[in-house]
Amino acid sequence: MRVGVMGGTFDPIHLGHLAAASEVAHHFNLDTVVFVPAGSPWQKADREVSPAEDRYLMTVVATAADPRLIISRVDIDRPGPTYTVDTLRDLRDEWGGDADLFFITGADALNDILGWRDTDEVQRLAHLVGVTRPGHTLANPGLAPGTITLLEVPALAISSSDVRARVAEGAPISYLVPPGVESYIAKRGLYRAGLTGAAAPTRRATS
Ligand code: NAP
């Protein structure tokens, strides 16, 4: 099996993420792509992150129609900050030693990989794939040649931060996120400016 591991906060998941998964699956002839919403994105102490269950459910809704895409709760269910080395160890246990893992995430996020926990093991466990939006400079962050592939994905002109900002100002997000995700955001009142209570972001990433 050739398994893509799509790591991200997905706050919210958008059509750019789905296009990126499809593009990487095509490029590497992947059998499946597992979306793994981050549990506690430890580098986001500067902003509120929506509750993990909301981000998980939006990811389920967004991927429901495509049998090649599945979801894993490993990062949400593991207590403490999310580290990719733990993600990959858990999925390696789940899929077995014969599976080839391809860890896919934003090239911006991978830029800092040399400062991640157990970087060497991360590279042993998976081939790394950094996807980015047009106009962004693609550069190897200093890893050995052959361990990382950088791909430009035009649909990544969409960003989660832009979707959040548009909801806050009442602008439309149709055609930026799947219809089910748009409905979920409205139903739960996510990203609305000044919102307090159960539907507002409740957890601040720590450490
Ligand atoms: P981020 O800093 O929120 O995102 C940086 C950029 O990458 C943003 O432009 C973001 O766009 C994009 N991006 C993030 N995930 C993407 C994806 N799957 N596909 C396409 N673009 C993506 O990154 P993050 O969400 O916190 O972290 C990304 C992944 O790296 C997660 O799996 C996280 O656990 C892992 N990570 C691990 C460590 C560690 O082990 N120490 C440290 C940092 C991150 P959008 O906002 O539009 O998605």
Side-chain angles (χ1 to χ4, degrees), residues 158-183:
I158 303 170
S159 73
S160 297
S161 55
D162 185 44
V163 171
R164 292 193 303 271
R166 291 178 70 83
V167 173
E169 67 192 30
I173 57 168
S174 308
Y175 313 114
L176 300 179
V177 301
V181 171
E182 183 180 6
S183 304

Side-chain angles (χ1 to χ4, degrees), residues 6-7 9 14 17 42-44 83-84 105-106 116 133 160:
M6 183 75 164
T9 306
H14 54 65
H17 294 130
W42 61 277
Q43 288 170 321
K44 289 196 173 48
Y83 296 108
T84 296
T105 196
W116 290 11
R133 41 192 56 102
S160 297

